[in-house]
Amino acid sequence: KLYLMVQIFDFFSPFLITLQDTGLHYDRYLREVIDFLEKDQHFREKLHNTDMEDIKQGKLAKELDFVSHHVRTKLDELKRQEVNRLRTLIKAKQDLEGGNDIAVDHQALLKQFEYLNHMNPHTFEVEDLDRLIKSATKDLENYDKERHEEFKRYEMMKEHDRREHLKTLGEEERKREEEHYEEMRKKHADHPKVNHPGSQNQLKEVWEEADGLDPEDFDPKTFFNIHDTNGDGFFDEQELEALFTKELEKIYDPSNEEDDMVEMEEERLRMREHVMNEVDSNKDRLVSLDEFLIATKKKEFLEPDSWETLEQNQAYTDEEMREFEEHLAQQEQDLNQKAVDLQKQRDELERQQEQLNEQKKELQQVRKTSTVCNNCHKIRIK
């Protein structure tokens, strides 16, 4: 693993590129904290002897009191840097929203960042490690759910855009567009049979086509060792998803108009989730060799049901699509109203500016007249 806190951090590694879409903005802080804890021998030994449930309950965090002074000093520094980063982000957001003249309550705003103790911005304590572990665990558990919701919104927006485009077309052109759409759907659905993820047939196909081995010699333990690429005795989510590449290639080709690569990644996620639910008996988001071997003896492995791909499982219901379009329509209405209000404000400002200009002219005229009168009065006196 990249870091010794495998039960927590290795869940993150497949998703580091996409963390910005999930709202998890503390990846670098998490990396650096784990990196320095890994350097402490006492903490490293305790980590190896602590199971996932104890980590979640905060028992490992208590071992922070026993790490070396050098590591604690570095962790203090990392926390101060992170707090300063969050304060900078808060200030930048305030500036973007036009609140330059509003006093910022940093303490109140820092409360939203649950992964550190904002009441003590100077030192890294047991509570900070406990918060970091629990936040990472919670965010990881919600990650797949959030990705599914994001994919559903993506699919509904794609359908909405298609419907809106059809409204702009004439009758004949719209008919041709609909026919082309149905043709692409049928073409996408016309693919070789997809093996049930994690089944004997699916793994044998990887064994033969990816590994170049005789399917008659298929051995689950050897297969596991080949695809446990980092050799730690577990399949993590990234290693597991790599096993589905051959199946996905049956359905998706980036050069084909009818194949959507966003949908391919959703299919990969569905496959990984399914295998994890079937095989990961202790729910630590890792598949051990023992769990894998036990799964290969089950009926589901030897005689699996057929696998239904995305085109057989629409991501949203008709009701969800209706509500989505209503929400978009309301958003458009609100934006239009805001544009109208802004135009009114602009017109009013221009009117007030014209009044000021007129008043300025009048004042200048009064002053000019007054000056002329004064001059005339002086002449009469002379």
Side-chain angles (χ1 to χ4, degrees), residues 180-194:
H180 178 70
Y181 173 72
E182 289 301 323
E183 180 186 348
M184 291 298 100
R185 288 185 60 183
K186 291 177 181 178
K187 189 175 179 182
H188 173 70
D190 184 19
H191 53 71
K193 178 185 176 182
V194 176

Side-chain angles (χ1 to χ4, degrees), residues 82 153 179 183 283 348:
E82 183 67 4
R153 290 192 294 272
E179 290 173 352
E183 180 186 348
K283 305 304 176 186
E348 177 62 20

